[in-house]
Amino acid sequence: MDDIVLINITGKDRPGLSACFTQILARYDVRVLDIGQSVIHEYLSLGILAAIPCKKDFSAVFKDMLFEGYKSGLTVDIKPVDPESYEHWVHAQGKERRIITILGQAITARQIAAVASVCADQGLNIDFITRLTGRISLQHPQSRPRASIQFSVSGTPKQIGAMRGRFMEISRETGVDISFHVDNIYQKNRKLVVFDMDSTLIQSEVIVELAKMAGAGPRAEQITRAAMQGEMDFKESFRQRVALLKGLTQSDLDRILQTLPLTEGAQLVTATLKRLGYKLGILSGGFTFVGDYLKETLGFDYVYANELDMENGVVTGRVRGDIVDGEKKAALLREIARKENLSIEQTIAVGDGANDLPMISIAGLGVAFNAKPVVRKKAASAISTTGLDGLLYLMGIHEREIRESNSGSGR
């Protein structure tokens, strides 16, 4: 049987080190069972799990690796691995795996320690930790600071509900977003992202702004608040709010579009996803005239919203056709996925209100964005400390890929 050894090489990095050490192993026909390498601030950590086919070569491999480490100024540690331990490690590879993402304006040791402690308490092993955001200059701070790291953990949580609750507590206490979801075949194969519109893609509720023009702002705000928190049926709330808009003109609607406040990061996230080949949709309980404007401005592929009824250029206070509520949003998400020949697991849904919960709950990745408490409590992933572009990090996209996809885009 082969001798199995674990080789750990650490020290100041330079080009060619991996080649030097693997060339030594190649001379003895060593089989590499596992290999991993990382470099932090120019310091290397290289691990190789290797099988040496000829027992008499063990001492020679040991000597040559140590000598190369001495010449290169590196520390080389070689430990034998017993076959039983190795087989136990092999059979553990079928364990469940989850991705945990920490996202905020800055990340501290306190936050990482808190998340790592939850993993330990739940019986999960942290296999990898990866930084998704770029390097941070201390002399030239970013105008829009972003910090994100991703844990890959293996094992089955003892109490997943308690785990989610503890992450929410840590998020409130330390000011970061913590999201987690199962790592599966769809993690890198999602192709459709749908967004709510009001208070998600834009920083306002258009129906409230229109009601203010009509002199009914406070009443519209009251009804909207109740609907978004799940305290009132959405369809009924929508009819009541639309009735408040009676008498507004087309010029009033046009004026709203001229001052539409896009959410921070909306342009970056849509431009990046489009360039990476994603299909984008708006599923909104708002109005089609706003959705169509955003489709043209940001490059969306699909828009489904409510059509405001007008006669002779004047709002009648009624809505045309079926109202897009929460259940309709979920049905539309399934419909778009079918059109694109995608499974529902290949979709992502982002929203803030109770009427977004049905689509958030069925999507492969559901994200609560600056959400009401009822939504934040039920969604596994949330963004509240950064702009909408925080979604890119939850998807596992590295800042380097974001820059590359938008270089020369003009946005």
Side-chain angles (χ1 to χ4, degrees), residues 8-19 21 36-47 72 74-75:
N8 284 300
I9 303 160
T10 57
K12 186 71 179 291
D13 188 34
R14 63 174 174 79
L17 288 178
S18 298
F21 286 102
Q37 177 177 309
S38 65
V39 177
I40 297 179
H41 195 59
E42 299 181 352
Y43 274 78
L44 168 78
S45 178
L46 171 62
S72 302
L74 302 172
T75 299

Side-chain angles (χ1 to χ4, degrees), residues 249-265:
T249 65
Q250 183 63 53
S251 62
D252 293 323
L253 306 188
D254 294 340
R255 194 157 70 250
I256 283 285
L257 295 180
Q258 292 168 9
T259 58
L260 206 60
L262 289 177
T263 296
E264 178 188 355

Side-chain angles (χ1 to χ4, degrees), residues 95-102 110-129 149-160 162-168 170 178-181:
K95 287 184 178 179
E96 290 183 20
R97 186 173 297 280
R98 282 175 168 76
I99 299 296
I100 301 173
T101 306
I102 304 178
R110 178 190 174 198
Q111 294 155 346
I112 296 173
V115 171
S117 295
V118 172
C119 293
D121 292 343
Q122 290 292 325
L124 303 176
N125 188 69
I126 299 173
D127 299 323
F128 308 102
I129 302 178
I149 62 173
Q150 188 180 85
F151 295 73
S152 177
V153 303
S154 57
T156 303
K158 297 175 183 176
Q159 294 180 306
I160 197 163
M163 182 177 173
R164 177 180 285 114
R166 184 66 187 119
F167 280 158
M168 289 183 67
I170 295 169
I178 304 169
S179 302
F180 73 102
H181 56 273

